[in-house]
Amino acid sequence: MIPELGHFALALALGLALVQSVLPLAGASRGNLLWMRSARASSLGQLLFVAVAFAALMRSFVVSDFTVRNVVENSHSLKPMLFKIAGTWGSHEGSLVLWVLILVAFGAAVSLFGANIPERLKARTLAVQAWISTGFLSFLLLTSNPFERVFPPPPDGNDLNPLLQDVGLAMHPPLLYVGYVGFSIVFSFAVAALLEGRVDAAWARWVRPWTLAAWMSLTAGIALGSWWAYYELGWGGWWFWDPVENVSFMPWLLGTALLHSAIVTEKRDAFKSWTILLAILTFSLSLLGTFIVRSGMLTSVHAFAVDPERGLYILMLLALSIGGSLALYAWRAPMMEAGGLFRPISRESGLLVNNLILAAATGTVLFGTLYPLFYEALTGGDKLSVGPPFFNSSFVPMMLPLVFVMGLGPFLSWKRADLGGVLQRLRFVAALSGLAALAVWYVAERGPVLAYLAIFLAVWLLLATLREWGLRIRLAEVPLGESLRRARKLPRAAHGMTLAHAGLAVAIFGFAGSSAWKSEEIVFVTPGSDVSIAGFDVTFEGAKRLNGPNYIADRGTLTVRRDGAFVKTLYPERRSYPVAQSTTTESAIRSTLAGDLYASLAEPASDEASASGAWTLRILYEPLVNFIWLGAVMLFAGGGLSLSDRRLRVGAPKRPSATPAAVAAE
């Protein structure tokens, strides 16, 4: 009965979405306030019904209701409770319910917390959001019913993919989806502004908090997924340019550009057309990622490889949403006023360079992701691999100038800047950055030139960011108490920008160190075997078998010493899941800020050797890798600090009275 209740709730939500997609829009056109305000009730109703459906699905997983096909295919009675709950969104159908729940939650949030948004703009925004929810709710009900029954029910389920039975990945999809779907409300604001025919500083102020919230969540989701891949998959890497990784990274890149472009629109009433286009393209890339992952076009460790018929339905949604919004943009964008003028050397120009580099980088990743799929389709099945060598040689050099501009940009004035004066302020920063790169070169004595350039730019960005913050509070120019008073009076967004830019600099240390100076040993070992790597001596003491709740594990014991002194004991595991008939690797890591000593057990050396305790052991030393996670935390915290700024919490002031031209556009 509960699953049927959940299915009925989805149908009611679809009915409300259809009403919301039409009535508020008609009210905005006719000036009918009651019709426009109906969007509030319908958006809250959608949230209620989709939440009921999600709760019903989660309850089916928690109680192991094996009359529901989704539970049978993605759960097991012996699975720990946390992963039973995570199984709710561990399948194609369940993840779509979560997707729609987040989608309608953003619409409800705008209706509840958008009191300062003009009624017509709010009504149009919520109507566009309802168009999107109509598409996904119909997709759920027509092609991907999460409550489909199975009779007679089996005695137990097939279990969740063992790779997904991890705390990190249990949280990864919700965070990623909040990021993906969060950009939907920015998309809705953009389309609503095009329908209204008006984009101004107030519109940019209303959009910024939603953009920032989505960007923060996407940052956390990508970082958590990268961390999971690092410690769970057993290969010792944190990014492989997998297509599913790429489809989450592309919206993040354009979302970053959108954040900075919206600032220019708010501060200088410029980049209006460009900001609208970025809002459309960012969410379009989120939809494109949904299509690629769910269409059966690729197979990935964290992709939903389903039948192409579902992919065709999503392709139709993709064509309608992207094609329609871009057609509207082509019609309306030329009517927008150009906005404030600025000199080639100015903060506006710096942010424009930022946007262009991020857009070009997104295009590079998009090409590398889609080209193999097009090649396979055109050649009738021939496969082509575009992997890390392509992306590392094209994407990375493109991003290095961006890091330089990020350090320079905050020192530039709006409209017109004195480049000579800016460089004068940064001369010591450049000198210290060069010395830091030379020091790394002296210590490392090997590595690609790009790695030393990356270290130089990371130090440059970090010191320039701190220098700019210090100038704001006049650090070392006035008494410390006065500097602290100035720091307290600075807007939180200024502190957030400083923390986020410094976080990227810190992450670059990790990117460069773990990529350029990583050491690796793959050896066959028996009890008593010794392996030396990066100054550590590792002894394999043997492996023993243990029983887990729903798996059987072979746990190895490694004793780590350095210069004869005991350092740590590591316990890498290789787990076998009998129900799912698959195995996973549980790495063991000794973590410090300087680097990680990383160990994982692969298959036994051979069937005969396994009886004598012989295993394939993989050991790596990853210098500076933890700076990646530290930098990601700083990026997220910087975004949160900016989001807490009172100017964003209060929102934009009321718009001035509409001009006759604007009224005519209504």
Side-chain angles (χ1 to χ4, degrees):
M1 180 63 184
I2 299 297
E4 282 71 29
L5 178 63
H7 192 238
F8 182 59
L10 287 178
L12 291 176
L14 177 58
L16 282 176
L18 288 169
V19 173
Q20 184 181 325
S21 64
V22 175
L23 192 59
L25 205 60
S29 297
R30 298 189 177 196
N32 189 314
L33 190 61
L34 183 63
W35 288 7
M36 287 189 282
R37 290 181 174 174
S38 70
R40 176 185 173 94
S42 55
S43 62
L44 294 176
Q46 278 192 77
L47 177 60
L48 172 64
F49 290 131
V50 177
V52 167
F54 185 77
L57 183 61
M58 182 178 288
R59 183 256 179 198
S60 298
F61 276 89
V62 169
V63 302
S64 296
D65 184 357
F66 295 121
T67 66
V68 178
R69 184 180 299 278
N70 197 11
V71 179
V72 173
E73 294 177 350
N74 298 282
S75 190
H76 191 273
S77 59
L78 295 179
K79 192 166 64 173
M81 181 56 67
L82 172 63
F83 301 130
K84 285 185 179 181
I85 295 173
T88 309
W89 54 80
S91 65
H92 164 75
E93 294 83 2
S95 65
L96 272 176
V97 178
L98 177 62
W99 176 286
V100 175
L101 177 63
I102 298 170
L103 184 70
V104 297
F106 270 97
V110 168
S111 68
L112 286 174
F113 305 114
N116 59 335
I117 302 175
E119 292 290 349
R120 293 193 178 191
L121 179 63
K122 187 196 298 185
R124 288 181 169 120
T125 299
L126 293 176
V128 175
Q129 190 77 356
W131 297 349
I132 303 169
S133 58
T134 296
F136 279 96
L137 282 166
S138 61
F139 178 58
L140 259 176
L141 291 168
L142 296 177
T143 72
S144 307
N145 179 13
F147 300 104
E148 183 181 348
R149 294 281 198 173
V150 55
F151 291 105
D156 218 322
N158 299 335
D159 209 353
L160 181 68
N161 183 345
L163 287 173
L164 307 183
Q165 296 185 38
D166 180 85
V167 175
L169 208 67
M171 295 303 300
H172 169 64
L175 288 170
L176 212 58
Y177 287 0
V178 171
Y180 277 152
V181 183
F183 285 118
S184 70
I185 200 68
V186 183
F187 170 86
S188 298
F189 268 109
V191 174
L194 289 173
L195 291 172
E196 191 179 72
R198 188 177 183 188
V199 177
D200 54 18
W203 176 89
R205 176 72 67 85
W206 293 319
V207 165
R208 275 185 62 197
W210 305 103
T211 306
L212 190 55
W215 179 88
M216 284 173 55
S217 186
L218 195 56
T219 300
I222 292 173
L224 195 58
S226 178
W227 182 56
W228 166 81
Y230 174 68
Y231 72 78
E232 176 67 22
L233 297 184
W235 59 287
W238 42 269
W239 194 263
F240 195 66
W241 295 106
D242 179 277
V244 179
E245 293 174 331
N246 293 348
V247 297
S248 64
F249 188 44
M250 289 185 290
W252 185 89
L253 289 170
L254 273 195
T256 305
L258 173 60
L259 268 177
H260 292 84
S261 183
I263 293 173
V264 182
T265 303
E266 178 189 348
K267 300 288 187 183
R268 296 281 300 126
D269 200 29
F271 293 10
K272 291 185 287 188
S273 178
W274 177 242
T275 303
I276 290 285
L277 182 60
L278 284 175
I280 293 172
L281 293 180
T282 301
F283 182 60
S284 298
L285 286 175
S286 297
L287 292 180
L288 179 64
T290 305
F291 166 69
I292 291 175
V293 172
R294 299 172 190 277
S295 63
M297 295 175 64
L298 58 88
T299 301
S300 169
V301 69
H302 39 3
F304 298 103
V306 295
D307 61 273
E309 292 182 1
R310 290 174 175 174
L312 183 61
Y313 195 102
I314 297 180
L315 184 60
M316 292 172 57
L317 292 178
L318 195 68
L320 287 172
S321 57
I322 298 178
S325 58
L326 289 179
L328 181 62
Y329 174 80
W331 173 42
R332 285 287 202 175
M335 304 176 189
M336 297 180 189
E337 296 178 4
L341 301 177
F342 53 90
R343 294 283 187 176
I345 304 299
S346 63
R347 183 170 295 191
E348 291 94 328
S349 294
L351 290 170
L352 179 61
V353 171
N354 164 294
N355 274 219
L356 293 176
I357 293 176
L358 286 170
T362 305
T364 301
V365 178
L366 182 65
F367 174 79
T369 303
L370 295 185
Y371 181 71
L373 303 178
F374 286 128
Y375 182 82
E376 183 178 352
L378 292 174
T379 58
D382 293 345
K383 293 187 180 296
L384 179 70
S385 176
V386 176
F390 167 78
F391 291 105
N392 291 337
S393 60
S394 58
F395 177 86
V396 174
M398 191 181 303
M399 298 303 289
L400 294 179
L402 176 65
V403 179
F404 177 77
V405 173
M406 284 180 64
L408 194 66
F411 289 87
L412 300 174
S413 304
W414 295 107
K415 295 181 67 175
R416 177 189 297 177
D418 176 15
L419 183 60
V422 170
L423 295 177
Q424 180 74 9
R425 289 180 172 185
L426 290 173
R427 64 187 188 281
F428 291 116
V429 170
L432 289 174
S433 303
L435 289 174
L438 289 174
V440 172
W441 172 79
Y442 179 78
V443 172
E445 296 182 349
R446 63 181 177 86
V449 174
L450 276 180
Y452 298 111
L453 182 57
I455 294 294
F456 168 82
L457 290 172
V459 177
W460 158 268
L461 177 58
L462 180 61
L463 295 181
T465 299
L466 295 177
R467 169 70 169 151
E468 192 271 342
W469 182 80
L471 288 173
R472 281 174 177 262
I473 65 172
R474 300 187 66 185
L475 189 65
E477 298 179 16
V478 297
L480 182 60
E482 174 66 13
S483 293
L484 293 176
R485 186 187 66 80
R486 288 174 173 270
R488 286 194 298 270
K489 288 189 173 182
L490 274 181
R492 291 184 184 178
H495 292 301
M497 181 198 74
T498 299
L499 187 58
H501 284 196
L504 181 60
V506 169
I508 293 172
F509 286 120
F511 299 151
S514 62
S515 300
W517 297 291
K518 177 167 65 175
S519 303
E520 180 176 6
E521 296 287 344
I522 302 176
V523 294
F524 293 148
V525 291
T526 56
S529 297
D530 292 320
V531 183
S532 295
I533 184 171
F536 294 94
D537 297 310
V538 182
T539 302
F540 180 67
E541 308 291 354
K544 62 180 180 179
R545 180 150 293 187
L546 303 172
N547 291 323
N550 61 336
Y551 61 84
I552 300 169
D554 290 300
R555 174 183 288 182
T557 301
L558 302 174
T559 302
V560 181
R561 294 181 177 85
R562 189 165 199 170
D563 299 327
F566 174 79
V567 175
K568 190 173 184 178
T569 302
L570 301 178
Y571 300 98
E573 292 184 8
R574 187 166 183 82
R575 294 179 179 177
S576 174
Y577 291 79
V579 175
Q581 297 183 351
S582 63
T583 59
T584 64
T585 299
E586 298 292 321
S587 56
I589 305 173
R590 185 250 185 187
S591 290
T592 65
L593 200 58
D596 281 2
L597 185 64
Y598 181 106
S600 63
L601 285 178
E603 294 284 354
S606 66
D607 293 338
E608 297 80 9
S610 63
S612 61
W615 287 85
T616 303
L617 179 66
R618 184 176 192 173
I619 301 182
L620 303 95
Y621 184 70
E622 298 264 7
L624 306 180
V625 70
N626 289 301
F627 280 87
I628 298 175
W629 327 128
L630 177 60
V633 170
M634 292 172 67
L635 279 166
F636 181 83
L641 198 57
S642 296
L643 192 60
S644 69
D645 193 308
R646 183 178 180 276
R647 295 175 301 170
L648 294 185
R649 286 186 284 112
V650 172
K654 293 291 184 181
R655 276 177 168 169
S657 300
T659 62
V663 173
E666 294 282 348

